[in-house]
Amino acid sequence: MPDMERWPTGRLLSTAARLVEHAWNEKLRGMDLTHAGVIVMEVLAVKGPTTQSTLAQIVRVQAQTMGKTLSRLEAHGHVSRARSMSDRRSQVVSLTEAGEHTLGLATQLEREVLEPVPVDTAKLRRELQALVRELATNQSSAVANEIVAMDSGLASGEASK
């Protein structure tokens, strides 16, 4: 492995994120889940029933990609879809009880990925949250603010569980 002492902070963050996500995806695979599926379930847990098109906008994916993710989640009983009463052309997606349970398990699996690492993960989370907030504030772009706003909503939803 190259000398990490010389790596820029961005590279360290990016590499750590990829390694954590890879390990988490390996664990999720055993539950027939993907990282994308967990993100959708997190959004539904926070926002409640939401249209498929709104989910695609929040998660920042194409509607077709969202449809594939939802089909997989629905096939495993994690979400349900029903026609919107206000607009019969759209579908409202809801997290099922089984999906809520699975989301809890997926969240635990993410924690387990970092358990063997000799780092104070609670402190690391606080530091990363501060970093994200500060960078978003300094950039003050609409995209940066949306990312932080959406992620803040998810975090507050997780805290209430």
Side-chain angles (χ1 to χ4, degrees):
M1 181 177 287
D3 183 13
M4 288 189 289
E5 296 297 321
R6 298 177 51 105
W7 287 10
T9 302
R11 181 175 180 194
L12 288 168
L13 285 169
S14 175
T15 302
R18 285 194 314 270
L19 290 169
V20 167
E21 189 165 347
H22 176 75
W24 191 30
N25 277 329
E26 287 296 314
K27 290 179 177 286
L28 290 174
R29 190 177 332 222
M31 297 173 60
D32 288 324
L33 276 178
T34 64
H35 183 233
V38 173
I39 291 171
V40 169
M41 292 193 309
E42 287 175 338
V43 171
L44 290 170
V46 171
K47 295 189 89 45
T50 307
T51 65
Q52 184 171 326
S53 61
T54 300
L55 278 172
Q57 290 172 347
I58 291 170
V59 179
R60 292 180 181 77
V61 297
Q62 297 295 317
Q64 182 180 2
T65 302
M66 180 56 65
K68 289 178 184 178
T69 300
L70 292 175
S71 290
R72 183 180 177 113
L73 289 171
E74 189 174 36
H76 292 292
H78 303 309
V79 301
S80 63
R81 292 189 270 189
R83 290 275 168 220
S84 169
M85 299 306 281
S86 60
D87 179 358
R88 302 295 294 165
R89 296 170 295 170
S90 62
Q91 291 189 328
V92 175
V93 183
S94 301
L95 188 63
T96 64
E97 194 172 308
E100 289 178 23
H101 176 73
T102 300
L103 179 58
L105 294 174
T107 302
Q108 179 58 37
L109 287 177
E110 182 187 24
R111 285 188 206 110
E112 289 174 10
V113 167
L114 293 175
E115 277 180 1
V117 179
V119 169
D120 182 344
T121 56
K123 182 178 179 183
L124 176 62
R125 284 184 57 81
R126 289 190 303 273
E127 293 290 332
L128 289 170
Q129 289 166 348
L131 178 67
V132 168
R133 283 188 194 101
E134 192 63 32
L135 289 173
T137 300
N138 290 342
Q139 288 182 12
S140 69
S141 73
V143 172
N145 291 330
E146 279 183 47
I147 290 168
V148 173
M150 199 226 32
D151 288 341
S152 294
L154 292 178
S156 65
E158 288 173 3
S160 66
K161 290 183 180 178

